[in-house]
Structures are given as C-alpha cells and as structure tokens.
Amino acid sequence: MAVAAVIALALHLSSASLSAAQVDPLGAWNDGVAKRAIVEFVHVTTTPGPAFVPPDERIATFDQDGTLWVEHPMYSQVVYCLDRVPVVVKAKPELANQEPFKTVLSGDREAIAKLSKHDLEIILAATLTGMSTDEFVADVKGWLATARDARWKRAYTDLTYLPMIELLKYLRDNGYKPYIVTGGGQDFVRVYAQAVYGIPPEQVVGTAGGIKYAYDKDGKPYLTKEPKLLLNDDNAGKVEGIHLMIGRRPFAAVGNSVGDQQMLEYTKAGAGSRLSMLVLHDDAEREYAYGPAQGLPDTKVGTFTQALFDEAHRDGWVVISMKRDWNRVFAFEK
Amino acid sequence: MAVAAVIALALHLSSASLSAAQVDPLGAWNDGVAKRAIVEFVHVTTTPGPAFVPPDERIATFDQDGTLWVEHPMYSQVVYCLDRVPVVVKAKPELANQEPFKTVLSGDREAIAKLSKHDLEIILAATLTGMSTDEFVADVKGWLATARDARWKRAYTDLTYLPMIELLKYLRDNGYKPYIVTGGGQDFVRVYAQAVYGIPPEQVVGTAGGIKYAYDKDGKPYLTKEPKLLLNDDNAGKVEGIHLMIGRRPFAAVGNSVGDQQMLEYTKAGAGSRLSMLVLHDDAEREYAYGPAQGLPDTKVGTFTQALFDEAHRDGWVVISMKRDWNRVFAFEK
C-alpha cells in the first residue's frame, strides 16, 4: 500500500510536470532561428557537458529601450523629463524664458522633437536631479500611474514586449540571473523594474549620477540626486557598467542598437557558449520600423546601422525580427 | 502502513533538523549583548509580524578591512601594492629614483610606514592600473597564494574572523543577501570574496576605477584598468556605493571605523527593525587593540574615534567587543 501510494504520488507529479511542459514557455515566439538559438543556448549551458555553466555564473544582460519596451517615437524617460519641466520652472521661474525650457513650455511638438542632444542633456539634468531619492521615486511612480503614450493610450509600462517577458522568465526558470543594462537612468528604471520585469533594483545597471549625503532637521540622513555623472551606461560604458556592477562577463546579452554594440561583442567574446542577440524593429504595423538595415531612414532613437547588422552576421549574433519571430508583441494584444 | 511510513519520515526529518539546530550557528560568539542582538534581529525580521522583511529586501552590508579580516598593521591590499612596486619599476625604470617608489624599493620598513596618504595614492594608482582586468585577476591570485603576513605567517585570506564567517552564513541561511561594502578596491576583493566569504563578485561594492574598452590584434575586446576614479567607496561614498550598486537601504550593516559611519547611520535610519554594528578592536593578545575609545593612541588604519563610540551609543548601534564577544577569532585557532 505504501508503495502504491508513492507510485500514485510519482505519477501525479509526473503528469503535473508534463502538463506544465505542454505550455510553451516561449509561446509568443514563432518557431525560427531566434527561438531555436535561445532554446539551444539554454539547453547546452544548463545540461552537464562541455558548455555547462555553473548556476552562479549564469548572467544575462538586457538593454531596455527598444529591447524590452517601446522606445519610439521618444524614450519614455525623456517624456517624463519633458512632463516635469513645468514643475521645475515653477520652482525656478527665471527658466521660463531660457532655452530649451521655453521651447518645451510652448508645447510645440515639432520644435520639441528637434531639440538637440545638448538641449536634452540640459533638460535631463534639470529634471532628474536636485530632489531627494525618495521624492524622485514617489514622483516617477505618480507619473507612471497617469501618463499614457500617444499611440496606444496605455501606460508606458504596458508597452513591454511579451516575448521578452517570456524570455526573462525562461532564463530565470533555468537558473539565469537577468540584468537590465540600460543607457536610461538607473534610478528611473529601478522604480518599476521589479513590478514590470521581475528584476530587483540591484539587477538594474544604468546611467547613474552621484548622490549627496546630508541630514534633515531631525538629524536623519537623506540622499539628494546630484548633477554629477558617475556612469554613462551606453556604448563601451555598458561594458564598464557590467564590470562595475556585476563583475563578470554575461553569457547572454540582448540589445537593439549601436549603444549595445560593445556589450554584445564583450558577451560573445567569452569562452564557451554565448548568446548575443539584436532586436530588429521591422514591424511598422504592430510596433515601428526603423534603421537603415531595412532601407528605412535612420533614427536618433535606437540607431541600428548597416555596420551593426554586418557585425551581427560576422560575429554570430542572432538577429530577432519583430515581424517574423514574434507572433504577439504586447500582452494586451489578443 | 502508508501512514506509519509517513510518520517515520516525519520523525526522521524532525530529528535531523533538531540535531542541526543543536549545533550553534554562531558558536564562536559568546552569549552577550552582541550575539543576542543579532539573533533577535534575525528572528523579528524573518518571522511574520510587524518587523517582518520580505526575503528580497533582506540586504546586509559588511565593511571588510577590520570588520571581516585583519587590517593592522597595514591593509592587505596596500601590502599587495607595495609588493608590486618592483614589477612596475622594472617596466618603467625611471621611477626607481622617484619618490615614493624609491622609499618602497629601499625596503626600509619604518620609512615605508611613514609614507603619506598622497604617497600611497600614487603607489596605488601605479600598481592597480594600466593592466588588463584579466592580468590583474591572475596577478592578485598569484600574490594571495604566496604572500604571508608577518605576525601569523599565514595567507592573508586565513586572517578572516571566524565569528564573521559564521554571521555571514547565519544571515544567508535566513534569507539575507550579504554584500561587502569596502573602501578597498572592488576588483581586488572580488578576486577572493567568493572563495573566502561565499560572496559573489556582484555583491562586492568597493572603490572602483574606470575601464578602457579596446580590441587586441585578433579583434577580441579586452578591458584595461584606468587611473580614473569612478567611486570612492568610503565615508559618505559607502552610501553612494550602496545606492549605486544595490539600490535599497540595508537592514543590517557592520563596520569598525569612521569610514563606516554614514553606512551605519543610513542603515539604522530606515523604517522597521535595523541592525548597525561596530567591531571594537580591544584584544591585543589575540588580534590588535586600537582607537582612542580604548584610551589607546589613534591609528590611521581603521580609525575608531570617541565621537564614533558616542554616536554608536546614542543611535543604538551594537558595539562588538572582540575580547568579550568572540570566543574564537580565527578558524585556525584551536
């Protein structure tokens, strides 16, 4: 009887795992080169054999803008900063007649879209610093709860790619620790990364500024965000960020633009089996299409050059075609 | 019969955990204020109740030098740097007649001990940068394998405090994630932190320099350690490092000198139950005794002022007396 009970239990467990296995963990991915490369990579690095990777070395790094969520027509964080300009100007009224604040306040979308990189840097510095870290978190949370993107009329955090959410979970279920490595603000992304991606603050590497340590009137310490750049987490800075905050080379990395080039090279150059992947935005209908690799005009937001495309092929990176490889883009799609 | 088998299994499991519980996980700690504070803190933060902390928020930060291992008469990393001076001078012979290299090469221990902070910074910059990150790891490993401290004639990594190794394990066993937050070099400590403390590279926060991304003759990327300071992880810089690399406030922090003051304040100022602790070096026989809090002359290495001692009492930090609280200091002691 005891043996029968054990067998019954074993059968139950076995059928439970079988039915779990029947649900494809990468169901939003079409069967193709990209999906097969992912499954093969995970298989060989988690199965005893020459490419096996010990669990604590299973590091995967993901760019965010254009890789995990929509980056067009403008990075969500830049929208946040533009939305914050009136608050900053209210506190410092003299800015109202100074550029680039004047243009932002005018509400002229075309003029705003034409702001230079230097203009944007001034806006980012003015809107992302000078408050305490606690105030910043509260403000970003408030903005995320109410701001809606212009095309889908949805919260920005709804605009994450379902196949990538699946991939993050699939990697985690196989012992991988996924990090976000973003050119965006580390403090900004950390506000929602746990809820949206299941990625805790300590696994978010991003562009980071200094903080000032001070005491309030009750002698309690608090931190203020300073306009001092600690880490510019883009291009080679992404590898610097990985070295600084992770301290080991990833086994897998995913990006979508020239800012991810060095991260993908560095990952792929490691010993053993490594997976470097690039998301190609080639689906204007369901999302956007951009980058000269598709014969489309280039973009300042998420630049994907022909040279990057060529390097991907030469270096064995997997190119993910949004159009061909994803049968669903967003979770809210039917 | 099935029921009997289940009961037998339950009894077996129960007795196994009982016998495990009989081995005190903090056996090197004497029963006293410090040990009780640790056990109480872990109990209330891991048991359902008002002070419960969700597992993913259980962050603990440890200073290294003087907290996890011996720092007197000189930080181990400084010894490493001094030992590396001949190699650096061989590559750049013109340094042989320049200070402070000339003094280091003279081997005059008294003169070396008198080198200024500025002299040491020159030596650190010259010996810790300019090589690839891979070369650096290999060099530190080689040094650790052969270098012996003058007093115990043992590898520096043997000079870790057994009670702290127990505390790290005790915290981990209770769902805490311990980090090292050190004024020492992040790249240096990462070489041995996993093997010595069970702390992986991504949980080591330390003073960090920039890296340069370049390609070797085969087009493979490699990283060079640059003489550019990214993070000075000492004093308020420790809180900056915690914010940068962990992104949340620790629930427990342990230090031993003025360089840890802000980390301990910041930790203790958080909501709920928080544990801030200071190791007092008051055991000249088994280790060292220093700091004016003991009426001893102050030291440049691990400064522990009367003001820090006073703040500890005022702010409810636990002071760990090496002499009274630890029945063993090192694992190699009988």
Side-chain angles (χ1 to χ4, degrees):
Chain A
M1 290 290 272
V3 170
V6 167
I7 289 172
L9 179 69
L11 283 174
H12 172 75
L13 288 174
S14 161
S15 72
S17 32
L18 267 182
S19 54
Q22 279 159 357
V23 177
D24 184 351
L26 298 173
W29 294 75
N30 290 322
D31 185 28
V33 172
K35 182 173 181 172
R36 286 181 201 179
I38 293 167
V39 172
E40 171 70 10
F41 166 78
V42 168
H43 176 71
V44 301
T45 58
T46 60
T47 310
F52 180 77
V53 177
D56 72 324
E57 290 176 30
R58 295 183 194 162
I59 306 285
T61 55
F62 286 77
D63 168 58
Q64 185 192 220
D65 295 302
T67 296
L68 293 178
W69 74 353
V70 174
E71 65 183 350
H72 264 221
M74 199 181 272
Y75 301 120
S76 305
Q77 188 180 354
V78 173
V79 180
Y80 167 75
C81 292
L82 295 174
D83 285 355
R84 252 184 77 74
V85 165
V87 179
V88 169
V89 171
K90 199 174 173 187
K92 290 185 187 174
E94 67 274 19
L95 295 178
N97 289 311
Q98 287 175 28
E99 291 297 355
F101 303 99
K102 198 175 164 184
T103 296
V104 175
L105 291 174
S106 76
D108 179 345
R109 279 166 179 273
E110 272 188 48
I112 293 169
K114 279 182 191 154
L115 289 173
S116 70
K117 201 181 161 196
H118 179 66
D119 287 334
L120 287 177
E121 282 169 2
I122 292 172
I123 292 165
L124 266 60
T127 53
L128 295 174
T129 67
M131 75 290 283
S132 78
T133 52
D134 289 345
E135 286 165 349
F136 179 73
V137 168
D139 195 71
V140 174
K141 278 187 180 167
W143 181 81
L144 287 171
T146 55
R148 294 294 176 265
D149 91 290
R151 176 168 167 187
W152 287 278
K153 321 288 181 210
R154 288 188 167 268
Y156 289 95
T157 49
D158 284 352
L159 302 185
T160 50
Y161 306 131
L162 178 63
M164 286 302 184
I165 301 294
E166 289 182 350
L167 177 54
L168 290 171
K169 183 173 186 310
Y170 181 62
L171 288 171
R172 263 194 299 263
D173 288 349
N174 282 282
Y176 273 88
K177 188 149 80 167
Y179 281 75
I180 290 174
V181 178
T182 175
Q186 182 170 282
D187 286 346
F188 183 82
V189 179
R190 280 175 171 173
V191 175
Y192 56 83
Q194 178 79 65
V196 173
Y197 304 115
I199 294 182
E202 61 269 30
Q203 286 165 230
V204 175
V205 180
T207 295
I211 57 125
K212 196 179 81 188
Y213 184 86
Y215 304 94
D216 69 13
K217 58 179 170 41
D218 301 319
K220 267 196 141 184
Y222 69 98
L223 315 181
T224 306
K225 286 170 70 64
E226 292 280 283
K228 181 191 120 196
L229 188 65
L230 275 189
L231 175 67
N232 185 4
D233 197 54
D234 208 8
N235 304 301
K238 288 209 174 191
V239 177
E240 188 159 31
I242 289 168
H243 180 73
L244 177 69
M245 298 189 45
I246 310 176
R248 30 189 167 192
R249 193 193 300 252
F251 274 83
V254 193
N256 79 298
S257 78
V258 292
D260 302 310
Q261 178 194 335
Q262 290 84 351
M263 175 172 78
L264 297 171
E265 289 171 351
Y266 179 62
T267 299
K268 192 70 185 172
S273 183
R274 309 265 172 166
L275 181 67
S276 284
M277 301 201 288
L278 265 177
V279 177
L280 187 66
H281 292 260
D282 57 357
D283 194 333
E285 199 180 316
R286 294 188 301 173
E287 203 245 11
Y288 292 99
Y290 48 90
Q294 294 84 59
L296 295 169
D298 198 6
T299 167
K300 279 194 293 183
V301 177
T303 307
F304 190 135
T305 60
Q306 185 63 46
L308 189 67
F309 201 74
D310 294 344
E311 181 171 359
H313 281 93
R314 208 168 52 234
D315 205 17
W317 308 348
V318 175
V319 175
I320 300 164
S321 158
M322 195 170 269
K323 189 165 191 163
R324 290 193 318 272
D325 286 314
W326 293 355
N327 58 57
R328 279 174 75 188
V329 175
F330 302 112
F332 58 78
E333 291 173 342
K334 287 289 158 264
Chain B
M1 289 291 271
V3 170
V6 167
I7 291 172
L9 179 69
L11 284 174
H12 172 75
L13 289 174
S14 160
S15 72
S17 29
L18 268 181
S19 55
Q22 278 158 1
V23 177
D24 183 352
L26 298 173
W29 293 74
N30 289 322
D31 185 28
V33 171
K35 181 174 183 172
R36 287 179 200 179
I38 293 167
V39 172
E40 171 69 9
F41 165 79
V42 167
H43 176 72
V44 301
T45 58
T46 60
T47 309
F52 180 77
V53 178
D56 71 325
E57 290 177 29
R58 294 183 194 161
I59 304 286
T61 55
F62 286 78
D63 168 58
Q64 185 192 220
D65 295 302
T67 296
L68 294 178
W69 74 354
V70 174
E71 65 183 351
H72 265 221
M74 199 181 272
Y75 301 120
S76 304
Q77 188 181 355
V78 173
V79 180
Y80 166 75
C81 292
L82 294 173
D83 285 355
R84 251 185 77 75
V85 164
V87 179
V88 170
V89 171
K90 199 173 173 186
K92 290 186 185 172
E94 68 274 20
L95 296 177
N97 289 312
Q98 287 174 27
E99 290 297 355
F101 302 99
K102 197 176 165 183
T103 296
V104 176
L105 290 174
S106 75
D108 179 344
R109 279 165 178 274
E110 272 188 48
I112 293 169
K114 280 182 192 154
L115 289 173
S116 70
K117 199 182 163 199
H118 179 66
D119 286 335
L120 287 177
E121 282 169 1
I122 292 171
I123 292 165
L124 266 60
T127 53
L128 295 174
T129 68
M131 75 291 282
S132 77
T133 51
D134 288 345
E135 285 165 349
F136 180 72
V137 169
D139 195 72
V140 174
K141 278 187 181 167
W143 181 81
L144 286 172
T146 55
R148 295 294 177 264
D149 92 289
R151 176 167 166 189
W152 287 278
K153 322 287 181 209
R154 288 188 168 266
Y156 288 95
T157 49
D158 284 351
L159 301 185
T160 51
Y161 306 131
L162 178 63
M164 286 300 184
I165 301 293
E166 289 182 348
L167 177 54
L168 289 171
K169 184 174 186 309
Y170 181 63
L171 288 172
R172 263 193 300 262
D173 288 348
N174 283 282
Y176 273 88
K177 188 149 80 166
Y179 282 75
I180 291 175
V181 178
T182 174
Q186 182 170 283
D187 286 346
F188 183 81
V189 178
R190 280 175 171 173
V191 175
Y192 56 83
Q194 177 79 64
V196 172
Y197 303 116
I199 293 183
E202 62 269 30
Q203 286 165 231
V204 175
V205 180
T207 295
I211 57 126
K212 197 179 79 185
Y213 184 86
Y215 304 94
D216 68 14
K217 60 178 168 41
D218 302 319
K220 266 196 140 184
Y222 69 97
L223 315 181
T224 306
K225 286 170 69 64
E226 292 280 285
K228 180 190 120 196
L229 188 65
L230 275 189
L231 174 69
N232 185 4
D233 198 53
D234 208 8
N235 304 300
K238 289 208 173 190
V239 177
E240 188 159 32
I242 288 168
H243 180 73
L244 176 70
M245 299 189 46
I246 309 176
R248 30 189 166 193
R249 194 192 299 253
F251 274 83
V254 193
N256 80 299
S257 78
V258 291
D260 303 310
Q261 178 195 335
Q262 289 85 349
M263 174 171 79
L264 297 171
E265 289 171 347
Y266 179 63
T267 298
K268 192 70 185 171
S273 184
R274 309 265 172 167
L275 182 67
S276 284
M277 301 200 288
L278 264 176
V279 176
L280 187 66
H281 293 260
D282 57 357
D283 195 333
E285 200 181 315
R286 294 188 301 171
E287 203 245 10
Y288 292 99
Y290 48 90
Q294 295 84 58
L296 294 169
D298 197 7
T299 167
K300 279 194 293 185
V301 177
T303 306
F304 190 135
T305 61
Q306 186 63 46
L308 188 67
F309 201 74
D310 294 344
E311 181 171 359
H313 280 92
R314 208 169 51 234
D315 204 18
W317 308 349
V318 175
V319 175
I320 299 164
S321 158
M322 196 171 266
K323 189 164 190 164
R324 291 193 318 272
D325 286 313
W326 292 355
N327 59 58
R328 279 173 76 188
V329 175
F330 302 112
F332 58 78
E333 290 172 344
K334 286 290 158 265

